[in-house]
């Protein structure tokens, strides 16, 4: 059993962007992917985790992240911002292309150690979110479902939604954890960093070996 380490996510920096897995750097270390609908608050969640306003570009236009973006926390430990899905305002051909890049990344990237799937707490488990969970579970990857914008709901509504989602994902039979998250109110950031630390631990133990 590997001891869980504490990484400093504030040191995270941008590494590179790629249109598909063939253009990514060497398949080594551990990568943790962030995926979600275009308006789920993915970039905002990454910026809150790293305490950097502009690490991941936030945009008023959903679907801005059209590339696979890599960020390095420290050597062998990378965060990956995947293209948002479910956007309406892009050509069909482009949607198909991004979907293909997403699926390929999840199924073929050997160093992928876990997937953080972000969903707006007010509209969880849309069809594409469920497809994303299915992909991750079929690739034998652990999943953290972050219900973003949790500050938009009252404490009791938040708890009710988290409970509902936890029950709804049982049929997937995967290693899936569900947490409420708010970048604005700093809700769930500790749960996110604890989960990332656990997923990254094998990579850091290799460095120390």
């Amino acid at each position: 059993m590997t001891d869980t380490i504490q990484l400093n996510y504030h040191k995270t920096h941008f590494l590179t962007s790629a249109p598909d897995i063939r253009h990514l750097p060497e398949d080594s270390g551990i990568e943790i992917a962030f995926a979600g609908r275009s308006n789920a608050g993915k970039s905002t969640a990454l910026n809150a985790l790293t305490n950097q306003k502009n690490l991941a570009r936030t945009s008023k236009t959903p679907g801005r992240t059209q590339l696979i973006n890599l960020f390095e926390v420290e050597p062998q430990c990378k965060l990956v911002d995947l293209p948002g899905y479910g956007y309406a305002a892009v050509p069909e051909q482009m949607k198909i292309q991004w979907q293909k890049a997403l699926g390929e990344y999840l199924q073929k990237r050997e160093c992928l150690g876990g997937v953080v799937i972000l969903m707006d707490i007010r509209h969880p488990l849309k069809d594409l979110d469920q497809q994303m969970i299915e992909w991750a579970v079929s690739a034998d990857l652990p999943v953290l479902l972050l219900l973003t914008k949790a500050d938009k709901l009252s404490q009791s509504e938040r708890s009710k939604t988290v409970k509902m989602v936890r029950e709804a994902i049982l049929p997937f039979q995967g290693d899936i954890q569900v947490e409420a998250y708010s970048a604005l109110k700093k809700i769930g950031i500790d749960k996110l960093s604890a989960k990332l630390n656990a997923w990254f631990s094998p990579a850091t133990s290799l460095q120390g070996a």
Side-chain angles (χ1 to χ4, degrees), residues 113-117 133-134 136-145 169-178 195 198-199:
V115 184
V116 180
I117 299 175
I133 297 167
E134 268 170 26
V137 170
S138 69
D140 221 10
L141 290 162
V143 176
L144 174 61
L145 288 186
I169 56 154
L170 290 174
F172 289 103
Q173 298 183 328
D175 174 359
I176 309 170
Q177 183 178 331
V178 182
K195 179 56 94 177
W199 285 345

PDB file of all heavy atoms in Angstrom, residues 113-117 133-134 136-145 169-178 195 198-199:
ATOM      1  N   GLY A 113      -4.598   7.782 -14.671  1.00  0.00           N
ATOM      2  CA  GLY A 113      -4.794   7.142 -13.365  1.00  0.00           C
ATOM      3  C   GLY A 113      -6.162   7.355 -12.751  1.00  0.00           C
ATOM      4  O   GLY A 113      -6.522   6.729 -11.749  1.00  0.00           O
ATOM      5  N   GLY A 114      -6.971   8.234 -13.347  1.00  0.00           N
ATOM      6  CA  GLY A 114      -8.299   8.501 -12.803  1.00  0.00           C
ATOM      7  C   GLY A 114      -8.961   9.613 -13.599  1.00  0.00           C
ATOM      8  O   GLY A 114      -8.293  10.359 -14.315  1.00  0.00           O
ATOM      9  N   VAL A 115     -10.284   9.702 -13.487  1.00  0.00           N
ATOM     10  CA  VAL A 115     -11.022  10.724 -14.225  1.00  0.00           C
ATOM     11  C   VAL A 115     -11.925  11.502 -13.271  1.00  0.00           C
ATOM     12  O   VAL A 115     -12.672  10.914 -12.488  1.00  0.00           O
ATOM     13  CB  VAL A 115     -11.904  10.092 -15.332  1.00  0.00           C
ATOM     14  CG1 VAL A 115     -12.588  11.178 -16.159  1.00  0.00           C
ATOM     15  CG2 VAL A 115     -11.081   9.199 -16.242  1.00  0.00           C
ATOM     16  N   VAL A 116     -11.816  12.826 -13.340  1.00  0.00           N
ATOM     17  CA  VAL A 116     -12.715  13.704 -12.598  1.00  0.00           C
ATOM     18  C   VAL A 116     -13.766  14.176 -13.594  1.00  0.00           C
ATOM     19  O   VAL A 116     -13.440  14.826 -14.587  1.00  0.00           O
ATOM     20  CB  VAL A 116     -11.962  14.922 -12.006  1.00  0.00           C
ATOM     21  CG1 VAL A 116     -12.935  15.822 -11.236  1.00  0.00           C
ATOM     22  CG2 VAL A 116     -10.820  14.464 -11.100  1.00  0.00           C
ATOM     23  N   ILE A 117     -15.028  13.792 -13.369  1.00  0.00           N
ATOM     24  CA  ILE A 117     -16.104  14.208 -14.274  1.00  0.00           C
ATOM     25  C   ILE A 117     -16.923  15.285 -13.557  1.00  0.00           C
ATOM     26  O   ILE A 117     -17.404  15.079 -12.445  1.00  0.00           O
ATOM     27  CB  ILE A 117     -17.000  13.015 -14.669  1.00  0.00           C
ATOM     28  CG1 ILE A 117     -16.162  11.950 -15.410  1.00  0.00           C
ATOM     29  CG2 ILE A 117     -18.162  13.473 -15.551  1.00  0.00           C
ATOM     30  CD1 ILE A 117     -16.908  10.678 -15.751  1.00  0.00           C
ATOM     31  N   ILE A 133     -19.007   8.267 -17.916  1.00  0.00           N
ATOM     32  CA  ILE A 133     -18.828   7.361 -16.767  1.00  0.00           C
ATOM     33  C   ILE A 133     -18.643   5.929 -17.278  1.00  0.00           C
ATOM     34  O   ILE A 133     -17.760   5.210 -16.832  1.00  0.00           O
ATOM     35  CB  ILE A 133     -20.033   7.448 -15.796  1.00  0.00           C
ATOM     36  CG1 ILE A 133     -20.131   8.857 -15.195  1.00  0.00           C
ATOM     37  CG2 ILE A 133     -19.893   6.421 -14.669  1.00  0.00           C
ATOM     38  CD1 ILE A 133     -21.452   9.137 -14.469  1.00  0.00           C
ATOM     39  N   GLU A 134     -19.473   5.558 -18.253  1.00  0.00           N
ATOM     40  CA  GLU A 134     -19.373   4.205 -18.835  1.00  0.00           C
ATOM     41  C   GLU A 134     -17.999   3.965 -19.439  1.00  0.00           C
ATOM     42  O   GLU A 134     -17.387   2.910 -19.234  1.00  0.00           O
ATOM     43  CB  GLU A 134     -20.438   4.017 -19.927  1.00  0.00           C
ATOM     44  CG  GLU A 134     -21.727   3.432 -19.411  1.00  0.00           C
ATOM     45  CD  GLU A 134     -22.837   3.473 -20.461  1.00  0.00           C
ATOM     46  OE1 GLU A 134     -22.521   3.478 -21.673  1.00  0.00           O
ATOM     47  OE2 GLU A 134     -24.011   3.514 -20.062  1.00  0.00           O
ATOM     48  N   ALA A 136     -15.172   5.442 -18.695  1.00  0.00           N
ATOM     49  CA  ALA A 136     -14.158   5.364 -17.635  1.00  0.00           C
ATOM     50  C   ALA A 136     -14.217   4.021 -16.920  1.00  0.00           C
ATOM     51  O   ALA A 136     -13.191   3.372 -16.693  1.00  0.00           O
ATOM     52  CB  ALA A 136     -14.348   6.511 -16.645  1.00  0.00           C
ATOM     53  N   VAL A 137     -15.434   3.587 -16.588  1.00  0.00           N
ATOM     54  CA  VAL A 137     -15.592   2.310 -15.868  1.00  0.00           C
ATOM     55  C   VAL A 137     -15.133   1.154 -16.746  1.00  0.00           C
ATOM     56  O   VAL A 137     -14.447   0.229 -16.283  1.00  0.00           O
ATOM     57  CB  VAL A 137     -17.060   2.119 -15.393  1.00  0.00           C
ATOM     58  CG1 VAL A 137     -17.282   0.708 -14.863  1.00  0.00           C
ATOM     59  CG2 VAL A 137     -17.405   3.141 -14.312  1.00  0.00           C
ATOM     60  N   SER A 138     -15.470   1.203 -18.052  1.00  0.00           N
ATOM     61  CA  SER A 138     -15.057   0.108 -18.936  1.00  0.00           C
ATOM     62  C   SER A 138     -13.542   0.088 -19.123  1.00  0.00           C
ATOM     63  O   SER A 138     -12.947  -0.946 -19.402  1.00  0.00           O
ATOM     64  CB  SER A 138     -15.775   0.185 -20.289  1.00  0.00           C
ATOM     65  OG  SER A 138     -15.318   1.304 -21.003  1.00  0.00           O
ATOM     66  N   ALA A 139     -12.906   1.253 -18.947  1.00  0.00           N
ATOM     67  CA  ALA A 139     -11.435   1.306 -19.032  1.00  0.00           C
ATOM     68  C   ALA A 139     -10.806   1.011 -17.662  1.00  0.00           C
ATOM     69  O   ALA A 139      -9.605   1.135 -17.490  1.00  0.00           O
ATOM     70  CB  ALA A 139     -10.989   2.679 -19.524  1.00  0.00           C
ATOM     71  N   ASP A 140     -11.655   0.625 -16.705  1.00  0.00           N
ATOM     72  CA  ASP A 140     -11.189   0.264 -15.366  1.00  0.00           C
ATOM     73  C   ASP A 140     -10.537   1.437 -14.631  1.00  0.00           C
ATOM     74  O   ASP A 140      -9.557   1.260 -13.906  1.00  0.00           O
ATOM     75  CB  ASP A 140     -10.199  -0.902 -15.470  1.00  0.00           C
ATOM     76  CG  ASP A 140     -10.443  -1.910 -14.349  1.00  0.00           C
ATOM     77  OD1 ASP A 140     -11.466  -1.758 -13.667  1.00  0.00           O
ATOM     78  OD2 ASP A 140      -9.596  -2.794 -14.135  1.00  0.00           O
ATOM     79  N   LEU A 141     -11.073   2.634 -14.843  1.00  0.00           N
ATOM     80  CA  LEU A 141     -10.515   3.825 -14.206  1.00  0.00           C
ATOM     81  C   LEU A 141     -11.395   4.278 -13.045  1.00  0.00           C
ATOM     82  O   LEU A 141     -12.620   4.254 -13.152  1.00  0.00           O
ATOM     83  CB  LEU A 141     -10.436   4.970 -15.224  1.00  0.00           C
ATOM     84  CG  LEU A 141      -9.401   4.809 -16.330  1.00  0.00           C
ATOM     85  CD1 LEU A 141      -9.716   5.755 -17.478  1.00  0.00           C
ATOM     86  CD2 LEU A 141      -8.002   5.062 -15.787  1.00  0.00           C
ATOM     87  N   PRO A 142     -10.775   4.695 -11.927  1.00  0.00           N
ATOM     88  CA  PRO A 142     -11.574   5.253 -10.842  1.00  0.00           C
ATOM     89  C   PRO A 142     -12.101   6.627 -11.247  1.00  0.00           C
ATOM     90  O   PRO A 142     -11.457   7.340 -12.026  1.00  0.00           O
ATOM     91  CB  PRO A 142     -10.589   5.360  -9.678  1.00  0.00           C
ATOM     92  CG  PRO A 142      -9.247   5.449 -10.314  1.00  0.00           C
ATOM     93  CD  PRO A 142      -9.335   4.688 -11.616  1.00  0.00           C
ATOM     94  N   VAL A 143     -13.274   6.982 -10.725  1.00  0.00           N
ATOM     95  CA  VAL A 143     -13.932   8.234 -11.121  1.00  0.00           C
ATOM     96  C   VAL A 143     -14.299   9.061  -9.888  1.00  0.00           C
ATOM     97  O   VAL A 143     -14.769   8.517  -8.887  1.00  0.00           O
ATOM     98  CB  VAL A 143     -15.232   7.923 -11.916  1.00  0.00           C
ATOM     99  CG1 VAL A 143     -15.996   9.202 -12.248  1.00  0.00           C
ATOM    100  CG2 VAL A 143     -14.924   7.152 -13.192  1.00  0.00           C
ATOM    101  N   LEU A 144     -14.071  10.365  -9.990  1.00  0.00           N
ATOM    102  CA  LEU A 144     -14.596  11.301  -8.998  1.00  0.00           C
ATOM    103  C   LEU A 144     -15.610  12.179  -9.722  1.00  0.00           C
ATOM    104  O   LEU A 144     -15.269  12.872 -10.677  1.00  0.00           O
ATOM    105  CB  LEU A 144     -13.474  12.166  -8.406  1.00  0.00           C
ATOM    106  CG  LEU A 144     -13.930  13.283  -7.445  1.00  0.00           C
ATOM    107  CD1 LEU A 144     -14.644  12.721  -6.217  1.00  0.00           C
ATOM    108  CD2 LEU A 144     -12.747  14.146  -7.012  1.00  0.00           C
ATOM    109  N   LEU A 145     -16.886  12.090  -9.307  1.00  0.00           N
ATOM    110  CA  LEU A 145     -17.916  12.945  -9.890  1.00  0.00           C
ATOM    111  C   LEU A 145     -18.024  14.194  -9.040  1.00  0.00           C
ATOM    112  O   LEU A 145     -18.368  14.115  -7.860  1.00  0.00           O
ATOM    113  CB  LEU A 145     -19.273  12.233  -9.890  1.00  0.00           C
ATOM    114  CG  LEU A 145     -19.504  11.078 -10.851  1.00  0.00           C
ATOM    115  CD1 LEU A 145     -20.959  10.633 -10.789  1.00  0.00           C
ATOM    116  CD2 LEU A 145     -19.155  11.452 -12.282  1.00  0.00           C
ATOM    117  N   ILE A 169     -25.772   6.154  -9.650  1.00  0.00           N
ATOM    118  CA  ILE A 169     -24.577   5.604 -10.323  1.00  0.00           C
ATOM    119  C   ILE A 169     -24.272   4.166  -9.898  1.00  0.00           C
ATOM    120  O   ILE A 169     -23.380   3.536 -10.457  1.00  0.00           O
ATOM    121  CB  ILE A 169     -23.324   6.475 -10.061  1.00  0.00           C
ATOM    122  CG1 ILE A 169     -23.094   6.631  -8.568  1.00  0.00           C
ATOM    123  CG2 ILE A 169     -23.438   7.805 -10.769  1.00  0.00           C
ATOM    124  CD1 ILE A 169     -21.687   6.887  -8.179  1.00  0.00           C
ATOM    125  N   LEU A 170     -25.002   3.641  -8.934  1.00  0.00           N
ATOM    126  CA  LEU A 170     -24.734   2.269  -8.476  1.00  0.00           C
ATOM    127  C   LEU A 170     -24.734   1.237  -9.610  1.00  0.00           C
ATOM    128  O   LEU A 170     -23.881   0.359  -9.640  1.00  0.00           O
ATOM    129  CB  LEU A 170     -25.731   1.857  -7.372  1.00  0.00           C
ATOM    130  CG  LEU A 170     -25.550   2.580  -6.032  1.00  0.00           C
ATOM    131  CD1 LEU A 170     -26.668   2.218  -5.060  1.00  0.00           C
ATOM    132  CD2 LEU A 170     -24.189   2.259  -5.402  1.00  0.00           C
ATOM    133  N   PRO A 171     -25.675   1.328 -10.576  1.00  0.00           N
ATOM    134  CA  PRO A 171     -25.672   0.349 -11.672  1.00  0.00           C
ATOM    135  C   PRO A 171     -24.384   0.335 -12.504  1.00  0.00           C
ATOM    136  O   PRO A 171     -24.100  -0.647 -13.183  1.00  0.00           O
ATOM    137  CB  PRO A 171     -26.875   0.774 -12.539  1.00  0.00           C
ATOM    138  CG  PRO A 171     -27.763   1.556 -11.621  1.00  0.00           C
ATOM    139  CD  PRO A 171     -26.842   2.238 -10.665  1.00  0.00           C
ATOM    140  N   PHE A 172     -23.622   1.430 -12.484  1.00  0.00           N
ATOM    141  CA  PHE A 172     -22.369   1.452 -13.260  1.00  0.00           C
ATOM    142  C   PHE A 172     -21.326   0.503 -12.670  1.00  0.00           C
ATOM    143  O   PHE A 172     -20.385   0.105 -13.345  1.00  0.00           O
ATOM    144  CB  PHE A 172     -21.788   2.873 -13.321  1.00  0.00           C
ATOM    145  CG  PHE A 172     -22.564   3.814 -14.184  1.00  0.00           C
ATOM    146  CD1 PHE A 172     -23.402   4.765 -13.623  1.00  0.00           C
ATOM    147  CD2 PHE A 172     -22.472   3.749 -15.570  1.00  0.00           C
ATOM    148  CE1 PHE A 172     -24.129   5.638 -14.419  1.00  0.00           C
ATOM    149  CE2 PHE A 172     -23.191   4.622 -16.383  1.00  0.00           C
ATOM    150  CZ  PHE A 172     -24.026   5.566 -15.800  1.00  0.00           C
ATOM    151  N   GLN A 173     -21.480   0.189 -11.386  1.00  0.00           N
ATOM    152  CA  GLN A 173     -20.596  -0.754 -10.690  1.00  0.00           C
ATOM    153  C   GLN A 173     -19.115  -0.419 -10.843  1.00  0.00           C
ATOM    154  O   GLN A 173     -18.278  -1.303 -11.020  1.00  0.00           O
ATOM    155  CB  GLN A 173     -20.846  -2.189 -11.208  1.00  0.00           C
ATOM    156  CG  GLN A 173     -22.267  -2.656 -10.929  1.00  0.00           C
ATOM    157  CD  GLN A 173     -22.512  -4.081 -11.366  1.00  0.00           C
ATOM    158  OE1 GLN A 173     -21.919  -4.547 -12.336  1.00  0.00           O
ATOM    159  NE2 GLN A 173     -23.362  -4.788 -10.659  1.00  0.00           N
ATOM    160  N   GLY A 174     -18.806   0.863 -10.791  1.00  0.00           N
ATOM    161  CA  GLY A 174     -17.399   1.260 -10.896  1.00  0.00           C
ATOM    162  C   GLY A 174     -16.904   1.824  -9.583  1.00  0.00           C
ATOM    163  O   GLY A 174     -17.646   1.916  -8.602  1.00  0.00           O
ATOM    164  N   ASP A 175     -15.633   2.209  -9.568  1.00  0.00           N
ATOM    165  CA  ASP A 175     -15.042   2.877  -8.400  1.00  0.00           C
ATOM    166  C   ASP A 175     -15.349   4.367  -8.564  1.00  0.00           C
ATOM    167  O   ASP A 175     -14.590   5.113  -9.175  1.00  0.00           O
ATOM    168  CB  ASP A 175     -13.525   2.599  -8.403  1.00  0.00           C
ATOM    169  CG  ASP A 175     -12.792   3.369  -7.304  1.00  0.00           C
ATOM    170  OD1 ASP A 175     -13.457   4.137  -6.554  1.00  0.00           O
ATOM    171  OD2 ASP A 175     -11.560   3.225  -7.201  1.00  0.00           O
ATOM    172  N   ILE A 176     -16.515   4.786  -8.061  1.00  0.00           N
ATOM    173  CA  ILE A 176     -16.991   6.155  -8.310  1.00  0.00           C
ATOM    174  C   ILE A 176     -17.322   6.850  -6.988  1.00  0.00           C
ATOM    175  O   ILE A 176     -18.085   6.336  -6.188  1.00  0.00           O
ATOM    176  CB  ILE A 176     -18.263   6.156  -9.194  1.00  0.00           C
ATOM    177  CG1 ILE A 176     -18.048   5.314 -10.462  1.00  0.00           C
ATOM    178  CG2 ILE A 176     -18.654   7.576  -9.575  1.00  0.00           C
ATOM    179  CD1 ILE A 176     -19.310   5.072 -11.273  1.00  0.00           C
ATOM    180  N   GLN A 177     -16.734   8.013  -6.793  1.00  0.00           N
ATOM    181  CA  GLN A 177     -17.019   8.832  -5.607  1.00  0.00           C
ATOM    182  C   GLN A 177     -17.759  10.086  -6.063  1.00  0.00           C
ATOM    183  O   GLN A 177     -17.437  10.651  -7.110  1.00  0.00           O
ATOM    184  CB  GLN A 177     -15.700   9.210  -4.920  1.00  0.00           C
ATOM    185  CG  GLN A 177     -15.856  10.013  -3.632  1.00  0.00           C
ATOM    186  CD  GLN A 177     -14.487  10.296  -2.994  1.00  0.00           C
ATOM    187  OE1 GLN A 177     -13.532   9.523  -3.150  1.00  0.00           O
ATOM    188  NE2 GLN A 177     -14.386  11.404  -2.280  1.00  0.00           N
ATOM    189  N   VAL A 178     -18.746  10.527  -5.296  1.00  0.00           N
ATOM    190  CA  VAL A 178     -19.539  11.714  -5.670  1.00  0.00           C
ATOM    191  C   VAL A 178     -19.401  12.783  -4.592  1.00  0.00           C
ATOM    192  O   VAL A 178     -19.590  12.494  -3.403  1.00  0.00           O
ATOM    193  CB  VAL A 178     -21.040  11.350  -5.815  1.00  0.00           C
ATOM    194  CG1 VAL A 178     -21.852  12.572  -6.259  1.00  0.00           C
ATOM    195  CG2 VAL A 178     -21.233  10.208  -6.792  1.00  0.00           C
ATOM    196  N   LYS A 195      -8.353  13.252  -3.145  1.00  0.00           N
ATOM    197  CA  LYS A 195      -8.520  12.178  -4.136  1.00  0.00           C
ATOM    198  C   LYS A 195      -7.359  12.199  -5.139  1.00  0.00           C
ATOM    199  O   LYS A 195      -6.793  11.156  -5.478  1.00  0.00           O
ATOM    200  CB  LYS A 195      -9.866  12.352  -4.853  1.00  0.00           C
ATOM    201  CG  LYS A 195     -10.170  11.325  -5.923  1.00  0.00           C
ATOM    202  CD  LYS A 195     -10.115   9.898  -5.404  1.00  0.00           C
ATOM    203  CE  LYS A 195     -11.457   9.387  -4.968  1.00  0.00           C
ATOM    204  NZ  LYS A 195     -11.388   7.975  -4.544  1.00  0.00           N
ATOM    205  N   ALA A 198      -4.238  10.752  -3.627  1.00  0.00           N
ATOM    206  CA  ALA A 198      -4.286   9.277  -3.575  1.00  0.00           C
ATOM    207  C   ALA A 198      -3.969   8.689  -4.949  1.00  0.00           C
ATOM    208  O   ALA A 198      -3.206   7.722  -5.069  1.00  0.00           O
ATOM    209  CB  ALA A 198      -5.664   8.820  -3.106  1.00  0.00           C
ATOM    210  N   TRP A 199      -4.533   9.293  -5.993  1.00  0.00           N
ATOM    211  CA  TRP A 199      -4.296   8.781  -7.352  1.00  0.00           C
ATOM    212  C   TRP A 199      -2.855   9.007  -7.799  1.00  0.00           C
ATOM    213  O   TRP A 199      -2.298   8.216  -8.555  1.00  0.00           O
ATOM    214  CB  TRP A 199      -5.258   9.443  -8.336  1.00  0.00           C
ATOM    215  CG  TRP A 199      -6.669   8.933  -8.255  1.00  0.00           C
ATOM    216  CD1 TRP A 199      -7.096   7.794  -7.632  1.00  0.00           C
ATOM    217  CD2 TRP A 199      -7.841   9.522  -8.834  1.00  0.00           C
ATOM    218  NE1 TRP A 199      -8.453   7.652  -7.782  1.00  0.00           N
ATOM    219  CE2 TRP A 199      -8.944   8.691  -8.509  1.00  0.00           C
ATOM    220  CE3 TRP A 199      -8.066  10.678  -9.579  1.00  0.00           C
ATOM    221  CZ2 TRP A 199     -10.250   8.979  -8.916  1.00  0.00           C
ATOM    222  CZ3 TRP A 199      -9.372  10.968  -9.991  1.00  0.00           C
ATOM    223  CH2 TRP A 199     -10.450  10.123  -9.668  1.00  0.00           C
TER     224      TRP A 199
END
